[in-house]
Amino acid sequence: MSGFISNWTEFCCQPLSVRNTRAVMLSVIGIVGIIGTVCNIITISTFLYLFFFPQRIRKKFGQEFAMIKDPVFFLILHLSFCDLLYCITGLPSYWSVYYYGYYPYSEAMCKYSAFFRNTLAYADFNTLSLISAYFAWRRGRGRPRNGRYGRWPVLGIILWTWIFSFCLTSIPLFEVCGKIGYDAVHGKCHIIECEKCSEDSSFLFPPGGVILAIGVGLPFITVLVSYGLVYRTLSLETTDAETWSQRRSVMILTSCYFIFLLPIGIIEWLPGSVTSRAFISVVIYCWYWFVYVVNFFIYIIFWRRIRKGIALMVKDILGIAGWKMKTKSDSADHSVPWWIELRRAEH
């Protein structure tokens, strides 16, 4: 295992090609971490506000949000929860190693921080794929007589997602195939880059590439199959504006996720003989990290009811604080954009 660090105190520094990107990496990690944390907190807060205070919203604003009765709502909430955890726990582990130019903590902390970070990432990817699978399953099952779907199947799906993610990242943790530790090639805590599972193994594929193929490849196939099954019926089906807005947002979000994700497979499968591999990894990860921010902006741009929910939550909070804020439903001027409304507050 050529990339594994046995003497932790002397050989945990980054290669020169990675250290030269220090300023760029710290800037990207800082921007993504701050924006991702704020945006995902807003998204989660909005979802929780809509779920726990429907009567207050109905009484105070005369609004109802049917999406909170749809179990897929919990999957979308879980997706934002995974993104938030990655921003506040996963990205700092990268930031520290790029800030110091080496990993300043213990080998055990390096191993388990990478394990938890990878588990979060796989839970995130699989949640997104299961949202599309749930749409396909629901279309095949048909609408129930009472017009509502049970929540327990979705909660079971979320539990299965975490079990699968933990099992997948446990493979290198317990050295069944590969190892987790300080990667001397790329200068970070990660799955060690090597050409086979173990020294005595005849399996010649890189462990990082194989595990990534399972963790990202299976969700990608799930998405393609799911949307392939329902695309025809969705295109022919007449739906209300809220349902169509939700589906469009999820489809666009799914497309963006895999645009950000798939390039990671390039670095995992590059042969060790590629001299610029560390620099290529830096570029690809800078691109990849934006996946943990993109969901908020997609909801804002394409999901009208989420925009409305954010506006009502902000208005309610300002009202409790003694402020008043006009929203579109309060004003006869319908030409005022929603982003101006969010900033319009008066004593």
Side-chain angles (χ1 to χ4, degrees), residues 264-334:
I264 298 181
I266 297 175
I267 191 62
E268 296 293 350
W269 288 92
L270 280 177
S273 58
V274 178
T275 56
S276 57
R277 181 171 178 169
F279 178 76
I280 295 174
S281 175
V282 167
V283 174
I284 289 178
Y285 270 87
C286 282
W287 171 258
Y288 155 70
W289 284 324
F290 283 98
V291 77
Y292 298 100
V293 181
V294 70
N295 60 341
F296 173 81
F297 296 101
I298 290 176
Y299 298 153
I300 286 290
I301 296 171
F302 297 103
W303 199 343
R304 182 180 61 86
R305 295 299 286 170
I306 290 298
R307 294 201 302 266
K308 186 67 176 178
I310 293 174
L312 293 182
M313 182 183 69
V314 173
K315 181 180 179 181
D316 204 358
I317 293 173
L318 291 177
I320 294 173
W323 290 60
K324 285 186 177 181
M325 181 180 119
K326 285 188 176 183
T327 58
K328 205 165 192 176
S329 58
D330 301 323
S331 176
D333 182 9
H334 294 279

Side-chain angles (χ1 to χ4, degrees), residues 238-254:
T238 301
T239 59
D240 58 273
E242 181 176 347
T243 302
W244 170 244
S245 178
Q246 180 193 52
R247 289 174 179 171
R248 180 180 62 174
S249 300
V250 171
M251 289 182 179
I252 294 173
L253 179 62
T254 305

Side-chain angles (χ1 to χ4, degrees), residues 47-84:
F47 284 169
L48 294 178
Y49 173 74
L50 297 178
F51 181 77
F52 285 108
F53 302 103
Q55 294 182 355
R56 177 182 176 87
I57 296 171
R58 189 184 309 113
K59 181 179 179 180
K60 190 170 183 178
F61 303 110
Q63 295 283 331
E64 291 190 17
F65 291 80
M67 63 183 179
I68 65 173
K69 301 176 182 178
D70 191 336
V72 79
F73 172 84
F74 292 98
L75 287 175
I76 298 174
L77 175 61
H78 181 253
L79 184 68
S80 296
F81 177 71
C82 292
D83 287 343
L84 176 62

Side-chain angles (χ1 to χ4, degrees), residues 3-22:
F4 187 69
I5 301 299
S6 56
N7 190 333
W8 189 253
T9 58
E10 295 182 20
F11 301 103
C12 57
C13 296
Q14 290 181 320
L16 180 61
S17 59
V18 175
R19 291 203 302 271
N20 290 337
T21 64
R22 178 177 182 271

Side-chain angles (χ1 to χ4, degrees), residues 47-258:
F47 284 169
L48 294 178
Y49 173 74
L50 297 178
F51 181 77
F52 285 108
F53 302 103
Q55 294 182 355
R56 177 182 176 87
I57 296 171
R58 189 184 309 113
K59 181 179 179 180
K60 190 170 183 178
F61 303 110
Q63 295 283 331
E64 291 190 17
F65 291 80
M67 63 183 179
I68 65 173
K69 301 176 182 178
D70 191 336
V72 79
F73 172 84
F74 292 98
L75 287 175
I76 298 174
L77 175 61
H78 181 253
L79 184 68
S80 296
F81 177 71
C82 292
D83 287 343
L84 176 62
L85 282 180
Y86 193 94
C87 288
I88 62 178
T89 63
L91 288 178
S93 66
Y94 282 114
W95 193 90
S96 61
V97 74
Y98 285 105
Y99 178 79
Y100 290 104
Y102 60 93
Y103 192 72
Y105 309 112
S106 67
E107 182 178 2
M109 187 171 180
C110 175
K111 179 184 294 186
Y112 287 105
S113 65
F115 168 76
F116 184 67
R117 184 184 66 229
N118 292 346
T119 300
L120 281 174
Y122 291 134
D124 195 84
F125 309 155
N126 282 278
T127 299
L128 187 67
S129 70
L130 290 170
I131 291 173
S132 60
Y134 185 81
F135 279 139
W137 172 80
R138 195 170 70 181
R139 289 299 307 154
R141 184 185 179 190
R143 192 167 186 82
R145 294 180 181 178
N146 61 4
R148 299 178 65 178
Y149 297 89
R151 295 171 183 170
W152 288 109
V154 173
L155 296 179
I157 288 173
I158 292 175
L159 177 61
W160 179 90
T161 299
W162 282 102
I163 293 174
F164 174 79
S165 301
F166 272 114
C167 290
L168 188 61
T169 49
S170 294
I171 294 174
L173 179 67
F174 296 108
E175 302 183 12
V176 177
C177 181
K179 292 183 179 181
I180 294 180
Y182 189 82
D183 182 359
V185 176
H186 301 103
K188 60 185 178 182
C189 297
H190 195 54
I191 298 177
I192 303 304
E193 298 295 344
C194 50
E195 297 180 355
K196 55 184 181 178
C197 278
S198 61
E199 295 181 357
D200 56 349
S201 174
S202 59
F203 190 71
L204 298 179
F205 295 106
V210 172
I211 294 173
L212 188 70
I214 298 173
V216 177
L218 285 181
F220 182 67
I221 294 173
T222 302
V223 168
L224 289 180
V225 173
S226 299
Y227 285 144
L229 291 173
V230 302
Y231 177 77
R232 181 177 178 83
T233 55
L234 288 179
S235 61
L236 297 176
E237 182 186 41
T238 301
T239 59
D240 58 273
E242 181 176 347
T243 302
W244 170 244
S245 178
Q246 180 193 52
R247 289 174 179 171
R248 180 180 62 174
S249 300
V250 171
M251 289 182 179
I252 294 173
L253 179 62
T254 305
S255 301
C256 289
Y257 258 61
F258 287 105

